[in-house]
Amino acid sequence: MNTSKLKSTLKRVAAANRPELADLEYLLGLTDDRELALVYQYADEVRAQYCGSGIWLRGVVEFSSYCRNNCLYCGLNAGNKDLPRYRLNAEEILAAAEQIAGGAIKTIVLQSGEDPELDPLWLRDLIIKIKSRFDLAVTLSVGERSRQDYYLWRAVGADRYLLKIETSDRKLYESLHPDMSFTQRLRCLGELKDLGYQVGSGNIVGLKGQSLKQIARDILFFQENDFDMIGIGPFIPHQATALAAESKADLQLTLKTLALTRIVTKNTYLPATTALGSLGADYRREGLKAGANVLMPNFTPQPYRKYYEIYPGKRCINENAGDCGPCMEIMAGQINRNIDYSVGHTLKRGGEHGQKGTNY
Ligand code: SAH
């Protein structure tokens, strides 16, 4: 192993305003265990320096599994007629919000497929109710919508929005997303930022046909866009999709992507994703030791949880909402970290709430 080349490349990448693609590609291509350990350790140090030792929790409520899209990797694709679909009502979501707040968690993430029947005014009223009853930051993740909808929700206090680019390669993006457009995805991300949301994006690692160069470009895309949060998840094949026969992502490639995203983007919230916890074993600890600083416990109520099947083998589908609190504390303790129960707004732009620059 060439430790001096590795260390100098890591330093150069960390110091650069815009790292060299070739450096990122080289680091993504490392396979030696000791070299990988050095990359993860470097990312861990950057995380400690820019974000501290805290792990922030975001309580996720998957409130509708209806979806109009046919993403080639996703089990919720509209063509999957075998999957029973559900939609939670406002009372069920408010009960989940109460459990999240009761567990001292300060963020609720409302996620769904791109439900064609989602009424923007219904969601607006729900945000108002959540905000008036609980001390919760609200993150939305309901896909591509009009600027008007994004505005409507932001205006009543929605704080954050998650919309993964999935891959920053236009061609690969369009081959995986029939009837969707990369330009439209970028439009949505730009509008969300304009409206003053704290914006989360991210990618899937290990997609069919994805090269190390494309992943390196994803990392540069994250840096250019200065996202507040970036979710990096391994591809997990789902039986009812076009990619059923493909192999799942390589764990180390996922961890390298996470670690390099930390080293390049510094003070970003990076979750140890549920998908990382569902890759055969629970690798979220490894994620937390390679740059991650967020966990996203599931608060989707039973019996719906198993039907939000974006990929198979999703962890904790038989658990009840609220089981996660002690589990999160144990996980943090095992790696000498702590759960941070502060609201966890963006660490960018001086940690402001993302209000500045709003022009809606
Ligand atoms: N409709 C919302 C939420 C999508 S589901 C939106 O468009 O933003 C949340 C995430 O699950 C997706 O962004 C995608 O990155 C991930 N996902 C879906 N199928 C997956 C699979 N088979 N393996 C890994 N991640 C997957």
Side-chain angles (χ1 to χ4, degrees):
M1 109 172 164
N2 186 346
T3 314
S4 64
K5 177 177 181 192
L6 171 54
K7 287 189 175 160
S8 62
T9 310
L10 281 171
K11 272 195 194 144
R12 194 163 56 239
V13 163
N17 285 328
R18 185 178 166 84
E20 294 295 327
L21 198 60
D23 282 346
L24 290 173
E25 250 186 289
Y26 157 74
L27 293 167
L28 285 169
L30 296 173
T31 50
D32 180 279
D33 283 346
R34 287 162 306 169
E35 294 185 322
L36 294 179
L38 284 176
V39 175
Y40 303 154
Q41 192 192 334
Y42 200 98
D44 201 44
E45 285 163 16
V46 174
R47 186 268 311 149
Q49 186 187 344
Y50 287 88
C51 313
S53 62
I55 296 170
W56 280 266
L57 303 180
R58 320 297 198 190
V60 181
V61 183
E62 299 149 334
F63 70 92
S64 166
S65 66
Y66 286 89
C67 192
R68 65 161 71 97
N69 293 327
N70 275 299
C71 307
L72 261 56
Y73 46 81
C74 185
L76 298 188
N77 70 80
N80 181 4
K81 305 292 181 209
D82 295 333
L83 185 70
R85 306 281 171 161
Y86 71 90
R87 198 176 278 124
L88 300 185
N89 63 34
E91 284 64 41
E92 289 169 313
I93 300 171
L94 288 165
E98 189 168 6
Q99 279 187 314
I100 292 170
I105 297 175
K106 301 292 188 320
T107 298
I108 184 169
V109 180
L110 297 173
Q111 190 179 81
S112 69
E114 278 192 21
D115 186 343
E117 291 187 19
L118 174 67
D119 175 357
L121 294 172
W122 172 86
L123 183 54
R124 175 178 172 272
D125 288 346
L126 182 68
I127 297 165
I128 293 172
K129 286 192 183 117
I130 292 173
K131 284 281 173 183
S132 68
R133 293 187 202 174
F134 309 105
D135 180 20
L136 287 174
V138 172
T139 302
L140 303 176
S141 179
V142 303
E144 296 178 10
R145 307 283 309 193
S146 66
R147 183 184 174 102
Q148 195 184 351
D149 289 353
Y150 290 153
Y151 163 74
L152 206 61
W153 303 327
R154 176 77 186 120
V156 294
D159 302 273
R160 312 186 191 130
Y161 204 102
L162 302 183
L163 186 73
K164 291 173 65 171
I165 192 72
E166 316 296 2
T167 169
S168 64
D169 188 283
R170 181 182 292 269
K171 264 203 181 135
L172 182 59
Y173 181 92
E174 293 187 346
S175 75
L176 292 164
H177 303 96
D179 309 320
M180 292 173 76
S181 110
F182 188 72
T183 305
Q184 168 76 350
R185 200 83 173 167
L186 294 178
R187 174 197 66 79
C188 289
L189 285 167
E191 287 179 354
L192 290 163
K193 193 166 192 181
D194 264 10
L195 291 168
Y197 283 94
Q198 299 167 56
V199 179
S201 195
N203 69 349
I204 304 181
V205 174
L207 289 163
K208 185 184 181 208
Q210 188 185 38
S211 64
L212 294 187
K213 187 174 268 164
Q214 287 170 327
I215 298 177
R217 287 212 186 95
D218 287 351
I219 297 171
L220 294 177
F221 176 85
F222 298 151
Q223 186 196 35
E224 277 160 25
N225 285 276
D226 200 26
F227 294 118
D228 303 291
M229 182 273 196
I230 298 162
I232 290 158
F235 166 69
I236 302 175
H238 186 288
Q239 68 283 0
T241 64
L243 300 182
E246 300 304 319
S247 30
K248 67 180 177 194
D250 177 64
L251 169 66
Q252 301 303 341
L253 182 58
T254 311
L255 293 174
K256 277 179 280 184
T257 307
L258 174 62
L260 293 173
T261 300
R262 168 60 72 206
I263 293 167
V264 170
T265 70
K266 312 285 190 293
N267 56 349
T268 313
Y269 286 105
L270 301 182
T273 54
T274 306
L276 198 50
S278 311
L279 211 53
D282 185 356
Y283 293 110
R284 288 179 298 176
R285 273 176 213 78
E286 281 71 13
L288 291 167
K289 290 197 285 186
N293 66 337
V294 171
L295 286 166
M296 303 181 73
N298 192 334
F299 281 83
T300 307
Q302 299 294 12
Y304 306 109
R305 208 182 271 201
K306 63 177 170 295
Y307 300 124
Y308 197 81
E309 198 187 53
I310 45 187
Y311 46 78
K314 210 164 141 218
R315 52 172 310 100
C316 307
I317 51 165
N318 297 315
E319 267 77 356
N320 287 303
D323 287 352
C324 297
C327 182
M328 303 285 110
E329 284 286 350
I330 291 167
M331 206 184 311
Q334 283 166 342
I335 55 169
N336 294 318
R337 298 268 286 280
N338 60 287
I339 301 293
D340 190 315
Y341 290 98
S342 67
V343 63
H345 281 315
T346 185
L347 299 168
K348 308 268 174 185
R349 302 177 295 278
E352 58 162 88
H353 181 172
Q355 301 280 3
K356 245 183 237 165
T358 52
N359 57 1
Y360 57 82

